[in-house]
Amino acid sequence: MLAGEGDRLYAAPGNPGIADHAQLVALDVADHAAVVAFCEAKRIGLIVIGPEAPLVDGLADTLRAAAFAVFGPSRAAAQLEGSKGFTKDLCARAHIPTGAYRRVTALEPALAALDDFAIPVVIKADGLAAGKGVTVALTRAEAEAALREIFSGRFGSAGAEAVIEEFLDGEEASFFALTDGSTIVPFGSAQDHKRVGDGDTGPNTGGMGAYSPAPVLTPALESEAMARILAPTVQAMAASGTPYSGVLYAGLMLTSTGPQLIEYNCRFGDPECQVLMMRLDSDLGEILLACAENRLGSVEPPRFSPDTALTVVMAAQGYPGTPKQGGRIDGIPAAEAGGAKVFHAGTALGIDGVLTAQGGRVLNVTARGPSVRAAQAGAYAAIDAIRFPEGFCRRDIGWREAARETDEMGEG
């Protein structure tokens, strides 16, 4: 969570990276009373709630009730991310293009429902499962195993219900918009890399890297996605009495029949946020405050550099399983000397001043350039300046678009 007081910025809980720009605050965002008391004491002018869990928990509602300007959706609106079934039902009502689905609440009916779907099929825990709980099943056996895992209780309340979805074939891209509940403006595109290994191999992760913009999401496709998916979602939420205010992150599948919605996030996302911010030329605070104050239509739309931004995640060995903690990290100033930006995620600073890894995904090493290949070269040059022996990264972030650029140059 970020909160602003005049020219001061507070981050809760924050990390050593943002500590260069904000005062870190040891606040438990699940303790709504403590958050309100802090914001009242500091006379906070804008609160930005980053993660999905406090949004689904209703922190934005509590703070708005205390008369604070908040960027982020209400508990009811955050169901767009908090419940896969909620979003699918909304799509069905509003005729928003998405894959066919079935909501199931127990194992035996779920196994029977598989008969209505072709293989591959997608199995999802309904609620928030910390980036897990989603399986693209390539066989019937994998689909059944995924359902058994969900209903075994492994994902807690997130697995009380599951959604079986039609597998959509195409290339995936992320499209972002900002809305105050009525006005909606586009906020860029990105493509991320979910698999842990080079060549998109290995288990899914929270994201091992990303780049923006996503050329595969052409201006025509962006316009189609806005008209057929994002704008109707905002309109449907308002019509149901649960207006959506904040960032709307649409995961899209670009199919042969046009963009279809895979799912929504109610936050900027990681590592997508890093590449969007590297390209943003507008005043972010001004735009977010306009959203929070229901006057987004009164400010200029966001402006982005035409450059490509690309970020590479450095993760701790063992991720996405059990990551190794405490690995020493050196060389960040050298990495940034060439113009790259190193965003911290799972880091901590000891009393001896030594930076160490304290999470799965530890750093996001980000660079800009006139092309994907140029941004890629800048990011990996920065990676090579960082000494993190107990960490690893993919060496092929942006590979698909870099290959397309190479093909275009050959054709030229």
Side-chain angles (χ1 to χ4, degrees), residues 55-66:
L55 290 168
V56 172
D57 187 43
L59 180 58
D61 305 74
T62 300
L63 289 164
R64 287 194 180 100

Side-chain angles (χ1 to χ4, degrees), residues 86-159:
F86 173 89
T87 299
K88 283 290 192 178
D89 286 350
L90 179 142
C91 288
R93 293 195 306 273
H95 307 292
I96 293 168
T98 190
Y101 73 103
R102 179 79 65 84
R103 299 180 73 167
V104 288
T105 57
L107 179 59
E108 291 306 320
L111 295 174
L114 283 175
D115 293 338
D116 297 331
F117 292 83
I119 300 295
V121 66
V122 182
I123 309 297
K124 296 180 179 180
D126 178 71
L128 297 179
K132 301 178 175 61
V134 177
T135 300
V136 178
L138 302 181
T139 66
R140 171 77 182 225
E142 287 182 4
E144 292 182 356
L147 287 167
R148 288 192 174 92
E149 182 179 45
I150 289 171
F151 288 111
S152 73
R154 178 186 171 188
F155 303 112
S157 59

